[in-house]
């Protein structure tokens, strides 16, 4: 589960605890049964386990099937890379300390590797957030109406729709009026400094950020923001 958490952190995605625990249970069960399985099953498990765990725990986002596949492939490759990275740390420390990798001491080494992995993931995610501009120009298209807006690159917005997997951006009252939004399609729960709140949402046909196009949901804040009209979701920049 720590590997899934590290992957979500680097990709700046919301960490879904329930789905990640379920994926971790599946991974543990597969690892336990691995030695008892026939050879062809081991090959299939080796190839499909990482994509399956990423599909369950992290999912994919994008405006169409091609972009979703690319997003999913990126998460899977990162998960595999982090897995080998953790294994490399364990192997390197075991050689440096002359510890038998087949002994129970490997549990302690694995704990050190996991902590190092999470710290590195957090540092990478923080560096990516700081390297992003504070605000950027975006265009939002809803029901054939396109509006340009100044958007805040807020790394704290990790909202994702649980059903569709689409990222959720937050619209100001002014942008809502400019787009002529009348009927929301549902609601999304958000955590704010004042507690949990429920915001109405609408389907966004397309939102362009730095030349990249996304499909998304727009949460209606019904409030005015300082110098921007849109708060982006972290995966968009």
């Amino acid at each position: 589960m720590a590997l899934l958490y590290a992957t979500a952190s680097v990709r700046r995605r919301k960490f879904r605890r329930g789905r990640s625990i379920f994926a971790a249970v599946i991974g543990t069960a597969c690892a336990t049964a691995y030695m008892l399985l026939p050879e062809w099953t081991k090959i299939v498990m080796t190839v499909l386990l990482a994509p399956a765990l990423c599909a369950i725990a992290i999912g994919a986002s994008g405006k169409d099937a091609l972009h979703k596949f690319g997003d999913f492939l990126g998460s899977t490759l990162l998960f595999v890379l982090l897995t080998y990275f953790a294994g490399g740390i364990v192997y390197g420390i075991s050689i440096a300390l002359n510890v038998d990798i087949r002994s129970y001491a490997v549990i302690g080494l694995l704990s050190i590797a996991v902590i190092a992995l999470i710290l590195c993931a957090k540092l990478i995610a923080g560096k990516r957030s700081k390297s992003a501009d504070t605000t950027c120009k975006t265009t939002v298209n809803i029901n054939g109406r396109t509006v340009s807006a100044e958007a805040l690159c807020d790394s704290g917005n990790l909202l994702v729709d649980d059903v569709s997997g689409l990222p959720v951006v937050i619209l100001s009252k002014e942008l809502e009026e400019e787009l002529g939004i009348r009927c929301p399609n549902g609601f999304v729960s958000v955590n704010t400094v004042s507690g949990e709140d429920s915001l109405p949402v609408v389907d966004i046909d397309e939102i362009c950020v730095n030349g990249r196009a996304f499909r998304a949901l727009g949460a209606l804040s019904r409030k005015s923001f300082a110098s921007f009209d849109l708060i982006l979701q972290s995966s968009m920049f």
Side-chain angles (χ1 to χ4, degrees), residues 98-217:
N98 196 25
V99 175
D100 187 355
I101 200 169
R102 294 168 295 181
S103 68
Y104 286 108
V106 75
I107 298 176
L109 298 181
L110 186 58
S111 300
I112 295 173
V114 167
I115 292 172
L117 196 64
I118 292 175
L119 289 175
C120 289
K122 285 294 186 181
L123 287 173
I124 293 171
K127 187 174 181 180
R128 289 183 65 193
S129 296
K130 290 178 181 178
S131 65
D133 294 333
T134 304
T135 60
C136 63
K137 292 289 185 182
T138 61
T139 57
V140 182
N141 183 292
I142 295 180
N143 295 328
R145 188 167 185 172
T146 303
V147 173
S148 297
E150 193 75 18
L152 175 67
C153 301
D154 179 17
S155 60
N157 178 15
L158 300 174
L159 291 175
V160 176
D161 180 52
D162 291 331
V163 178
S164 65
L166 293 174
V168 179
V169 300
I170 303 175
L171 282 63
S172 69
K173 178 177 69 175
E174 289 78 10
L175 183 57
E176 177 186 350
E177 293 172 352
E178 194 172 354
L179 287 165
I181 298 172
R182 294 290 178 266
C183 299
N185 302 332
F187 293 87
V188 63
S189 296
V190 299
N191 291 315
T192 66
V193 292
S194 58
E196 189 170 345
D197 195 7
S198 182
L199 299 179
V201 293
V202 294
D203 290 321
I204 296 178
D205 298 321
E206 185 177 79
I207 177 170
C208 292
V209 182
N210 296 327
R212 297 172 61 199
F214 301 87
R215 281 196 61 218
L217 296 181

Side-chain angles (χ1 to χ4, degrees), residues 5 19 27 42 49 71 84 86 89 98 133 137 160 163 168 216:
Y5 177 75
R19 296 176 66 169
K42 292 180 180 179
L49 184 59
D71 183 80
Y84 278 102
I89 293 176
N98 196 25
D133 294 333
K137 292 289 185 182
V160 176
V163 178
V168 179

